Amino acid sequence: MMTSAPSGTHNFKVVLLGEGCVGKTSLLLRYIEDKFNDKHLTTLQATFLNKKLNINGKRINLSIWDTAGQEKFHALGPIYYRNSNGAILVYDITDEDSFVKVKNWVKELKKMLGSDIVLIIAGNKIDLEHERTVPLEEAESYSTMVGAKHYYTSAKLNQGVEELFLDLTREMVDRFEQNSQADVSRTSRVLVVDDETPVQTSCCSGNRST
Amino acid sequence: MEGAYDEIISDNPFFRDLKNEYTNLFQHCITQSWIICVPRVGILNTRVFTVEDFCAHILVPSDELPETHYSTLTEKQVTVTNKVITLEVTKGLPLQSHILFEETFYTEDFIKYKVWCIESALEPSTTTSDNVVTKDCLLSINDCIDLLWTQAAGRHVLDQIEQNVQIFLKKHSCLPIAISTLREAISELYTLCLQTTLQNRRLREKSKASKHILDNIKLAVESYMQHLLFESLFKTICTSCAYEDSHLNKKIRNMSDIQLRDLDIKKELYHAVPKAKQILSKIDTYSSVLEKILCLKQALNAINKNDNSYNVVLLTADDLLPVFVFLLIKSGLPNWYSQLTYMKEFRFSCVGKGDSDESAFLITTLEAVIEHIQSGALAGPPDPESHYYYDSNLTEENLQSNTQRRSSLTESISTSETNSREETLEYVFELIKANHTEQVQAILEKNQKHLKSIQQNEKSILKFALEESLNNNNDDDDDDDDDSTESEIYQKLCHPLCNCKKCWCKISKNLLKTSPTVTSRDSHGLTPLHVACIHGKAAIVEILLDMGADVNATDLNESIPLHYAASRGHQNALLLLLHSGADINKPNIDKNTPLHLAVNNGHMNCVKALIYFAEHSRKRIIVNCTNESGNTPLHLAAKWGYEGIARLLIENGAEPSRLNKHNKTAFDCAHNLKILQVLKSCTPNLYEYIHITSSDIKTLSCKSDNLEYLKLEKLSVKNSDYVNNPTKTIENLKRIERILQAISYGDVKLACFYLNINYDTFNENTNTVKESLCHPLCECQYCKRKSQSHVSDFDINFSDTNGFTALHYAARFGLEELCKILIHNKADVNCTNRKGQTPLHLAAIYNKTKVISLLLDNGANINAIDVAGNTPLHNASDMGNIGATKELIKYNPDISLLNASERSALDVAKKKVHLTIIDLIEKYSSKL
Ligand SMILES: Nc1nc2c(ncn2[C@@H]2O[C@H](COP(=O)(O)OP(=O)(O)OP(=O)(O)O)[C@@H](O)[C@H]2O)c(=O)[nH]1
Ligand SMILES: [Mg+2]
Ligand SMILES: [Zn+2]
Ligand SMILES: [Zn+2]
């Protein structure tokens, strides 16, 4: 009969990070708007969007958080990306600075969240291939080095957007299942940020990191 | 949103049957990318579905308009707008169904198809089963109560939760201050409440049948529990967040002049700000986390409301944050950090969901905004003139005119920069801001000399001219020469060397504009000294003072430079001004003194400087002065939680028991226990300072306990003596103030002392009526003298400027004993204050049950109405005071009375969702 298994749905949080104007908001809108003819976007739909997926029988509730790219808000990053299962780091292939910024984000995320988070690097605006300034090889080798998948996207032409989110989601599901196998006691992802969370003894969590 | 509909599609019988029994049809849908609509679980009667049923729910996109137009496999036309499916039917109105959510499925080989979970079936014939939950989304505490009440078919679940909470509160008479411990305790209570709720058979079965119902029940239980706990829980949170709140308040107070444009907010969003601000500032009226989050959501949605021209302004994260920062700063709430902590830490119903819902996003946004303000990344308003532009009733016109003014100002500055010849006043202001001391001095001195020489020639005329030019508006000349260049002005003169008044006027006006001196003012009345104080340039302040700047020059806000130095926390500038004779007690247009402003913005250094300067120079600083809203500096320190400042003020004579125009003392303004403790601990016990010697005290005039007699006598007092009561002298006002203060400290003895009532005699004689008058009606000398002694000296019904008598205070603070004493001394039980409130109203508001019965036993009018039309029962219902309501009901109040908002006491209770009170009143009315 109808058993509403509570663990049946994965709830994943994904943040979009990147410099101003690289196309974070555009990517998000492109992904969500896709079919729903909903001209009536409310406030939050541009900053916070939900998408329900069902991949091969696994239910996933994605909540995607757009962030502000302006430099003055940079310090707020940790508030937004904490508890994230995935991060999409966007740069503009015609803007070298935006790629440098991505590298900084990677460093920061690794430091703050360790390997708990799935990283994706997205080179956006490939419709402007002729104006490319970020070398293809550099971007890809860097991504491999830091263990992030690299994608090319164009929010304008709707290229690579869905694939990016789909692969990210699958990766998050895999990661989640690995983790829950590796450490049965960890029912939900606990970020070791504050000292109030019960300290795990080293014998059970010692070889948990991948 | 929390409570938004969700279900597991693959468990839905309709979907399961399609997938398992009609595999071919299902596979075809997938390969063709047709959309499958699935009526939500429980909406269809369980039966065997036919192939027609399925075909009616499969949508094939049209070729021309694949986004909006579809046809079903049963050949019906379907349109989709705003998440609503509209189905054309042959007869009658089109059928509509909401899309509850969309789920995108991927098969093993990554073929994609979409499923829409819909609210009702797309067939007119299908009958819906009755097992349907009507409320999908909980939007208020009322919805929560509704859900628990209707789904459980009765009040018992609510009662059980209430009982759990009562027991909890009894057990924890003092809640733990540490947030983590507090959270744990409350979380346990929540689990308990949820368990007892699910012991209810109906609820248990319903929640088993649908995850959605279970989620809603959890949320409802949580919210109702929070609603009941709120008073004590939130106070405790405020206490533990006192430090963070007071720091945040200081930051916010100092940015309170900030303008939309200072934050780079999009112009398209300006129009929505007032509405959003209004919504957001109500956040502290909600008791549950659910409602607080909804309040955030509504505020943000208000920002995005369509502008008049049908365009939807898409709000992105970059736009959202600054607007929210602005709203927070302008909201005037003293405890944002506590609000955040409450929302963040006390949501239990959604554990396991992590940060994945919209509520988490809203809370995080609030956190980010607070962090942004706290971090100091925001500077205060960059321009001094910002101060004048903000109007608490922001309107579109206002904003537009502001931006216009702004642009003209920047123009004038930029022209003055490119054109070095023109050293306008604005240019000098810019120099002051940039701290170019020498340049400022040079320009002002040069112009002053120049002006002096002219002045010597035509002193009187110039003076006239200066005055003229200051009141720009009464210039009814046909020439609008404000912007005309020098050469144009000379052309307009009768003769280039003419000396007539009119010509002088024109020349000097131009002169003022181009050659500012130390006394020049801009259109807001700001002098260079004001501007130097705004920016805290002490060196320039010194120079300007040396050059003879008027230290007490007032601008259009009637603010002197000292106000600005104090409000912006510039201690050096402030001291320079004080030493040059600035008026330390000067009220501005809002009757704020420099001390008010320094306190309000949390500038301890300036508060200290003001107080110590006054002390050493033997100038009197009025620590208890009130501003336009009746607030003393101590009210402000209490409200914003500045403990150090509050302590300092009290040590220097501030009185926490003063009432502001809303009848609030500083104690009432304190929103957490920490600041309250400061107020209490620093308050000297007045009783200790006064040595009551028996000779000072007159004997109690009347010792009768006979109530009938008292009532009789009161009438006679009213008719005769009352008319010639002592005139309201300053002396008496001072005295009543002292009396009220003593009462507010709960010091009955001291109050009696001031009232000339012998407390001890009263105490002895309440039991023994021996020493009373010879006979109630006796007129002998002895008795006459006795019974008149107090009346002649001080009228017991004397009131302060707000109309409060001693009895009002005694009732408000619940001093039953003193009430008795006062009543025995002929205090009028039905006297009213300026708001028309009787002592009974106050006792009802503050839930002083014993006082209520005492007053009513002594002739208080149970149906007395205040100026807002409220009876005491209205007040008690409004405040949710159960004890008071019970007590009042014993005295047969008239519950049909409506207040000025056309509400009965019952309506008021319903509006505030005080269940027990609703019950009490309903029971009472059914007995009538
Ligand atoms: N040619 C091209 N332009 C794009 C693409 N994606 C985004 N843009 C443009 O880039 C600009 C910035 O896009 P946004 O989506 O607002 O960028 P953002 O990263 O959200 O920027 P911030 O919100 O300021 O951080 C817009 O003018 C888009 O039209 C793309 O794939 N190709
Ligand atoms: Mg953006
Ligand atoms: Zn003339
Ligand atoms: Zn007598």
Side-chain angles (χ1 to χ4, degrees):
Chain A
M1 259 305 287
M2 294 178 286
T3 45
S4 49
S7 57
T9 306
H10 294 297
N11 287 302
F12 287 139
K13 170 176 164 184
V14 175
V15 277
L16 280 157
L17 297 168
E19 204 177 36
C21 278
V22 295
K24 299 183 294 295
T25 309
S26 307
L27 280 174
L28 179 56
L29 289 177
R30 173 58 86 184
Y31 180 55
I32 300 292
E33 244 186 25
D34 186 28
K35 200 63 171 227
F36 251 127
N37 169 48
D38 196 0
K39 289 279 171 285
H40 219 75
L41 285 166
T42 65
T43 308
L44 298 172
Q45 275 174 307
T47 47
F48 170 86
L49 290 143
N50 252 323
K51 180 116 176 161
K52 286 183 162 66
L53 299 179
N54 194 317
I55 303 177
N56 212 353
K58 289 194 188 92
R59 251 188 130 220
I60 297 113
N61 194 353
L62 275 192
S63 61
I64 310 167
W65 297 32
D66 189 13
T67 60
Q70 290 171 30
E71 187 52 38
K72 62 180 173 189
F73 296 124
H74 181 90
L76 302 178
I79 293 176
Y80 281 105
Y81 62 62
R82 89 182 152 213
N83 293 337
S84 294
N85 305 75
I88 301 172
L89 309 173
V90 189
Y91 69 93
D92 176 347
I93 61 160
T94 67
D95 176 6
E96 267 175 298
D97 287 347
S98 72
F99 188 66
V100 173
K101 190 80 193 231
V102 163
K103 290 182 179 174
N104 292 338
W105 276 117
V106 170
K107 259 184 235 150
E108 184 172 339
L109 288 173
K110 292 253 168 191
K111 200 175 102 207
M112 304 291 288
L113 302 181
S115 56
D116 268 352
I117 189 166
V118 178
L119 296 183
I120 295 255
I121 295 174
N124 191 35
K125 308 199 186 175
I126 43 161
D127 49 296
L128 304 176
E129 181 64 44
H130 54 284
E131 292 173 36
R132 171 194 284 282
T133 55
V134 181
L136 200 129
E137 310 77 43
E138 193 196 326
E140 287 183 346
S141 66
Y142 174 79
S143 302
T144 324
M145 190 182 80
V146 298
K149 281 203 175 168
H150 187 274
Y151 285 87
Y152 283 115
T153 55
S154 167
K156 192 176 177 183
L157 305 180
N158 196 8
Q159 282 173 357
V161 182
E162 192 179 341
E163 291 88 326
L164 181 147
F165 279 97
L166 183 59
D167 277 3
L168 171 64
T169 309
R170 291 170 58 207
E171 183 76 28
M172 288 189 297
V173 174
D174 287 351
R175 188 78 62 100
F176 182 84
E177 285 173 352
Q178 269 171 27
N179 275 355
S180 45
Q181 271 170 6
D183 189 348
V184 189
S185 65
R186 270 172 85 231
T187 44
S188 66
R189 297 166 343 89
V190 177
L191 283 178
V192 198
V193 188
D194 54 12
D195 2 33
E196 280 157 23
T197 48
V199 186
Q200 288 168 332
T201 48
S202 52
C203 57
C204 354
S205 59
N207 53 358
R208 154 172 83 80
S209 55
T210 47
Chain B
M1 202 66 229
E2 281 172 300
Y5 189 78
D6 191 24
E7 70 167 83
I8 296 170
I9 292 287
S10 40
D11 289 343
N12 186 303
F14 185 86
F15 182 74
R16 223 179 26 209
D17 280 5
L18 172 66
K19 196 171 162 184
N20 298 336
E21 315 288 330
Y22 297 86
T23 320
N24 286 340
L25 177 61
F26 182 65
Q27 288 303 334
H28 198 66
C29 283
I30 293 175
T31 46
Q32 297 295 316
S33 301
W34 292 340
I35 293 169
I36 303 170
C37 292
V38 177
R40 69 173 187 184
V41 66
I43 199 88
L44 293 173
N45 274 328
T46 32
R47 58 179 163 100
V48 179
F49 299 111
T50 63
V51 74
E52 282 77 36
D53 289 334
F54 293 119
C55 288
H57 286 89
I58 291 169
L59 304 184
V60 181
S62 75
D63 293 334
E64 301 83 44
L65 293 161
E67 306 274 293
T68 52
H69 289 71
Y70 303 84
S71 58
T72 66
L73 288 183
T74 48
E75 308 270 304
K76 295 230 172 73
Q77 294 309 306
V78 166
T79 53
V80 177
T81 40
N82 285 336
K83 294 195 179 178
V84 176
I85 301 178
T86 309
L87 181 83
E88 299 302 330
V89 289
T90 35
K91 268 185 286 183
L93 287 170
L95 202 91
Q96 289 204 322
S97 180
H98 276 269
I99 302 175
L100 297 167
F101 62 83
E102 179 191 71
E103 190 160 326
T104 311
F105 281 71
Y106 293 91
T107 64
E108 264 173 57
D109 18 306
F110 291 102
I111 299 172
K112 181 173 97 170
Y113 64 96
K114 282 184 178 170
V115 173
W116 287 352
C117 181
I118 57 175
E119 195 182 27
S120 52
L122 292 182
E123 290 168 302
S125 56
T126 46
T127 46
T128 53
S129 79
D130 47 31
N131 189 23
V132 176
V133 193
T134 39
K135 269 280 185 254
D136 278 322
C137 206
L138 301 174
L139 295 177
S140 69
I141 189 74
N142 279 315
D143 289 352
C144 295
I145 291 170
D146 247 29
L147 178 89
L148 293 176
W149 192 314
T150 52
Q151 295 296 314
R155 250 198 81 166
H156 33 277
V157 167
L158 293 169
D159 286 340
Q160 264 160 1
I161 297 175
E162 200 171 329
Q163 207 182 343
N164 285 337
V165 170
Q166 295 302 339
I167 295 170
F168 175 86
L169 285 177
K170 220 168 257 167
K171 208 173 99 195
H172 302 265
S173 57
C174 194
L175 290 171
I177 295 285
I179 287 291
S180 55
T181 342
L182 182 63
R183 190 192 134 87
E184 214 140 277
I186 306 290
S187 155
E188 244 167 64
L189 174 64
Y190 164 70
T191 314
L192 180 70
C193 288
L194 191 62
Q195 277 166 357
T196 39
T197 304
L198 291 177
Q199 271 162 21
N200 180 289
R201 195 181 44 81
R202 283 162 176 274
L203 289 182
R204 195 172 55 239
E205 273 164 16
K206 282 183 184 166
S207 54
K208 259 190 194 155
S210 149
K211 179 177 173 294
H212 179 62
I213 296 183
L214 178 64
D215 284 348
N216 271 346
I217 288 176
K218 282 184 184 172
L219 184 60
V221 169
E222 175 190 292
S223 303
Y224 187 56
M225 175 192 82
Q226 286 166 344
H227 176 69
L228 297 172
L229 268 179
F230 185 69
E231 198 91 324
S232 33
L233 176 57
F234 196 66
K235 262 261 152 70
T236 314
I237 294 173
C238 284
T239 302
S240 78
C241 299
Y243 177 80
E244 288 85 356
D245 265 332
S246 76
H247 274 248
L248 183 65
N249 282 336
K250 183 172 175 185
K251 283 262 155 57
I252 291 179
R253 286 306 99 208
N254 285 285
M255 289 191 284
S256 58
D257 313 339
I258 211 154
Q259 300 304 307
L260 288 164
R261 60 183 152 74
D262 299 333
L263 292 167
D264 296 328
I265 291 170
K266 270 193 196 161
K267 285 239 169 54
E268 303 94 274
L269 301 175
Y270 279 20
H271 71 282
V273 166
K275 177 87 193 169
K277 183 181 143 232
Q278 193 201 353
I279 295 172
L280 191 65
S281 55
K282 285 212 190 97
I283 198 165
D284 71 329
T285 64
Y286 299 110
S287 54
S288 60
V289 171
L290 167 76
E291 287 171 303
K292 285 184 190 285
I293 291 172
L294 275 165
C295 175
L296 288 181
K297 187 183 158 103
Q298 281 165 1
L300 293 183
N301 280 341
I303 297 168
N304 202 38
K305 278 242 312 274
N306 294 13
D307 56 7
N308 32 15
S309 66
Y310 208 64
N311 299 322
V312 179
V313 184
L314 253 192
L315 204 61
T316 66
D318 305 66
D319 311 326
L320 188 71
L321 281 172
V323 178
F324 215 130
V325 165
F326 184 82
L327 295 178
L328 215 71
I329 292 174
K330 300 292 184 187
S331 69
L333 287 190
N335 50 12
W336 274 109
Y337 197 87
S338 306
Q339 303 279 0
L340 171 67
T341 307
Y342 183 43
M343 286 187 255
K344 211 169 117 188
E345 303 290 341
F346 293 86
R347 288 166 78 218
F348 304 109
S349 59
C350 60
V351 279
K353 279 198 196 156
D355 264 0
S356 65
D357 62 355
E358 188 179 354
S359 305
F361 174 77
L362 288 162
I363 295 171
T364 305
T365 305
L366 177 62
E367 186 179 351
V369 167
I370 288 178
E371 171 64 30
H372 193 56
I373 296 174
Q374 191 75 272
S375 73
L378 280 166
D383 301 314
E385 71 274 15
S386 298
H387 201 88
Y388 304 96
Y389 288 176
Y390 183 72
D391 180 343
S392 51
N393 309 311
L394 262 184
T395 61
E396 218 166 325
E397 299 94 295
N398 259 336
L399 286 163
Q400 265 158 15
S401 67
N402 288 350
T403 47
Q404 275 162 21
R405 270 150 98 185
R406 161 83 186 147
S407 56
S408 68
L409 186 64
T410 33
E411 269 162 31
S412 78
I413 291 171
S414 56
T415 49
S416 68
E417 269 162 4
T418 50
N419 191 349
S420 62
R421 188 183 56 94
E422 245 192 323
E423 291 159 345
T424 61
L425 186 57
E426 282 84 2
Y427 179 62
V428 172
F429 284 1
E430 287 292 306
L431 288 176
I432 292 176
K433 196 174 148 192
N435 213 5
H436 291 305
T437 319
E438 289 88 24
Q439 253 173 294
V440 172
Q441 189 171 15
I443 294 175
L444 295 182
E445 269 175 357
K446 183 188 74 195
N447 289 338
Q448 203 154 11
K449 264 185 210 144
H450 184 59
L451 210 76
K452 247 189 203 138
S453 60
I454 306 172
Q455 218 166 358
Q456 272 160 3
N457 296 337
E458 281 297 337
K459 212 168 186 176
S460 55
I461 294 174
L462 181 70
K463 200 169 163 228
F464 163 82
L466 274 168
E467 274 162 11
E468 277 293 280
S469 65
L470 272 180
N471 328 334
N472 272 343
N473 40 355
N474 59 3
D475 171 25
D476 50 0
D477 280 352
D478 45 357
D479 50 346
D480 42 341
D481 52 3
D482 269 3
D483 297 319
S484 34
T485 65
E486 217 167 309
S487 55
E488 278 170 341
I489 282 177
Y490 282 105
Q491 280 165 15
K492 280 180 190 163
L493 301 180
C494 315
H495 176 272
L497 296 174
C498 172
N499 258 348
C500 85
K501 268 190 183 182
K502 217 173 166 185
C503 293
W504 258 110
C505 190
K506 280 175 187 156
I507 290 177
S508 62
K509 213 186 263 175
N510 192 50
L511 205 66
L512 269 178
K513 204 172 154 259
T514 53
S515 325
T517 68
V518 75
T519 54
S520 304
R521 289 156 184 274
D522 74 355
S523 54
H524 305 296
L526 291 175
T527 65
L529 187 60
H530 281 103
V531 176
C533 287
I534 287 167
H535 297 294
K537 307 296 181 203
I540 297 184
V541 169
E542 202 166 6
I543 288 171
L544 293 172
L545 288 170
D546 281 348
M547 289 171 72
D550 179 4
V551 71
N552 284 321
T554 53
D555 65 9
L556 293 186
N557 275 348
E558 290 169 38
S559 294
I560 59 176
L562 189 64
H563 282 108
Y564 291 100
S567 79
R568 309 236 167 180
H570 302 307
Q571 193 186 25
N572 290 339
L574 179 118
L575 283 167
L576 285 169
L577 294 169
L578 287 173
H579 283 286
S580 305
D583 179 358
I584 198 165
N585 293 312
K586 173 85 174 77
N588 70 5
I589 200 160
D590 306 314
K591 298 241 174 68
N592 279 314
T593 64
L595 184 62
H596 276 107
L597 298 179
V599 169
N600 191 51
N601 292 355
H603 298 302
M604 181 75 162
N605 57 351
C606 288
V607 177
K608 271 188 184 158
L610 284 165
I611 289 178
Y612 292 158
F613 176 83
E615 204 170 282
H616 291 295
S617 63
R618 291 174 203 278
K619 274 188 186 149
R620 211 169 79 83
I621 182 161
I622 309 172
V623 177
N624 286 310
C625 53
T626 54
N627 66 11
E628 196 65 26
S629 356
N631 286 320
T632 66
L634 189 59
H635 278 101
L636 303 174
K639 178 168 183 196
W640 305 122
Y642 304 138
E643 294 170 31
I645 293 180
R647 200 170 284 127
L648 188 65
L649 288 171
I650 292 175
E651 280 163 8
N652 286 281
E655 291 164 4
S657 54
R658 296 269 179 140
L659 290 177
N660 67 11
K661 291 211 172 140
H662 302 287
N663 291 338
K664 289 221 170 123
T665 66
F667 296 118
D668 298 324
C669 294
H671 59 87
N672 67 59
L673 296 174
K674 278 206 179 139
I675 186 78
L676 200 63
Q677 264 160 14
V678 170
L679 295 180
K680 282 193 173 143
S681 67
C682 295
T683 307
N685 186 352
L686 290 184
Y687 197 58
E688 283 171 10
Y689 293 112
I690 294 151
H691 304 284
I692 300 184
T693 50
S694 52
S695 63
D696 283 347
I697 302 172
K698 303 200 171 66
T699 44
L700 191 64
S701 56
C702 175
K703 298 150 207 157
S704 170
D705 264 340
N706 184 329
L707 296 173
E708 287 312 307
Y709 162 64
L710 271 173
K711 279 182 199 163
L712 264 177
E713 196 175 48
K714 202 163 58 215
L715 283 176
S716 67
V717 168
K718 258 197 171 157
N719 295 340
S720 56
D721 304 11
Y722 201 68
V723 186
N724 357 317
N725 66 8
T727 47
K728 294 203 172 189
T729 58
I730 301 285
E731 188 83 353
N732 276 338
L733 272 174
K734 272 192 188 151
R735 187 152 161 197
I736 185 76
E737 238 167 56
R738 262 177 290 160
I739 293 168
L740 298 184
Q741 199 179 353
I743 298 176
S744 71
Y745 295 144
D747 198 333
V748 177
K749 279 190 188 170
L750 183 62
C752 285
F753 168 71
Y754 286 136
L755 282 158
N756 276 346
I757 296 172
N758 190 333
Y759 175 77
D760 293 323
T761 337
F762 173 82
N763 252 5
E764 286 160 20
N765 289 304
T766 39
N767 303 326
T768 55
V769 201
K770 254 193 272 165
E771 261 189 68
S772 59
L773 304 177
C774 315
H775 177 274
L777 296 175
C778 173
E779 295 248 321
C780 84
Q781 279 298 30
Y782 168 74
C783 291
K784 224 177 178 179
R785 195 168 53 83
K786 263 192 153 181
S787 60
Q788 279 178 353
S789 56
H790 74 284
V791 180
S792 56
D793 185 38
F794 182 78
D795 181 6
I796 201 156
N797 289 316
F798 196 80
S799 63
D800 75 353
T801 46
N802 288 319
F804 286 92
T805 66
L807 187 57
H808 275 110
Y809 262 56
R812 181 225 186 276
F813 289 98
L815 304 179
E816 190 197 359
E817 185 190 25
L818 183 61
C819 287
K820 266 188 202 152
I821 296 174
L822 291 167
I823 292 172
H824 282 232
N825 282 280
K826 302 176 187 171
D828 177 6
V829 286
N830 285 316
C831 52
T832 54
N833 66 12
R834 278 235 208 134
K835 289 183 157 181
Q837 294 166 315
T838 64
L840 186 61
H841 279 105
L842 298 182
I845 292 172
Y846 293 95
N847 205 20
K848 307 295 181 193
T849 46
K850 286 189 178 155
V851 173
I852 291 176
S853 66
L854 179 73
L855 290 169
L856 287 164
D857 285 338
N858 285 288
N861 178 5
I862 179 88
N863 295 320
I865 53 168
D866 67 9
V867 287
N870 289 313
T871 66
L873 188 60
H874 277 98
N875 293 144
S877 306
D878 186 48
M879 304 295 293
N881 294 337
I882 298 169
T885 310
K886 276 187 185 155
E887 207 57 46
L888 289 167
I889 281 179
K890 286 188 200 153
Y891 291 82
N892 298 323
D894 179 356
I895 51 165
S896 65
L897 291 173
L898 301 182
N899 65 14
S901 337
E902 301 281 318
R903 288 207 174 87
S904 71
L906 184 60
D907 298 335
V908 171
K910 281 186 175 159
K911 185 160 171 266
K912 288 277 178 88
V913 209
H914 297 307
L915 292 181
T916 310
I917 292 182
I918 297 171
D919 240 25
L920 285 170
I921 299 180
E922 278 176 347
K923 274 202 195 110
Y924 165 69
S925 77
S926 66
K927 273 192 211 137
L928 284 180

